[in-house]
Amino acid sequence: MLLDVEKSADKLLNKTCIVGLSYFDVKGQLLKQSMLGGQVIALDKENGITIELANAEKEKNKTSVKAKKPAQFIIPSNLRCWFVAPKGEFHTSEHQVKMVNPDYLVTWDIHQTKADKADLEQQWWQWRPNTVPPQIG
């Protein structure tokens, strides 16, 4: 059953998640994969789900007044790809931030929609939710 973002706000808001992203070219060839982690800070059916990304600097500087404001990442509001995470330790791919026992695992396939683009032309991507629970290990 597809969950409504607004009705699920109490279940997702302030929860932690690991987000796995797989990028594909127009021929379906894998371009890259990345894993992000953070805390859900906003949910909007139209604009998506905003995740405040965890970062190593924030963890090191919890008492520092000058700590950088964490980056945010917005994913589509489709909840079919949100699964309860198994207990364990996860590491993000960008900054190797360690997240212990996140609440959810989320995975998306992101497909390039056009092979060639002019220098100043916007590149478009289509987000497809992975509705099968991710395999860990």
Side-chain angles (χ1 to χ4, degrees):
M1 180 174 155
L2 185 61
L3 298 173
D4 185 323
V5 170
E6 278 119 21
K7 291 178 182 175
S8 300
D10 60 330
K11 294 178 185 172
L12 292 181
L13 201 57
N14 298 315
K15 298 295 184 181
T16 57
C17 62
I18 295 292
V19 181
L21 305 170
S22 297
Y23 294 85
F24 298 90
D25 67 14
V26 292
K27 295 178 182 176
Q29 297 296 313
L30 181 66
L31 296 171
K32 77 173 191 170
Q33 292 182 306
S34 64
M35 189 163 27
L36 309 170
Q39 183 176 22
V40 176
I41 60 168
L43 295 103
D44 184 280
K45 194 173 195 172
E46 295 295 318
N47 295 320
I49 299 169
T50 304
I51 299 165
E52 181 176 278
L53 298 179
N55 65 53
E57 290 303 313
K58 181 181 176 186
E59 296 303 313
K60 289 179 192 173
N61 299 316
K62 283 185 177 180
T63 58
S64 173
V65 177
K66 294 184 179 183
K68 289 182 182 178
K69 184 177 178 179
Q72 295 179 356
F73 191 77
I74 300 172
I75 60 175
S77 57
N78 187 322
L79 299 178
R80 293 184 310 163
C81 56
W82 285 71
F83 298 94
V84 174
K87 299 290 184 205
E89 189 174 292
F90 297 83
H91 296 266
T92 64
S93 54
E94 292 287 319
H95 301 288
Q96 288 297 304
V97 173
K98 177 174 71 171
M99 291 189 67
V100 178
N101 299 331
D103 297 302
Y104 293 97
L105 293 179
V106 184
T107 56
W108 286 91
D109 287 343
I110 305 165
H111 292 264
Q112 192 176 34
T113 60
K114 189 175 174 184
D116 297 321
K117 69 177 187 96
D119 288 342
L120 299 176
E121 188 177 327
Q122 176 71 34
Q123 177 63 59
W124 293 98
W125 299 85
Q126 180 182 33
W127 288 61
R128 297 180 189 162
N130 286 319
T131 57
V132 176
Q135 298 296 313
I136 306 301

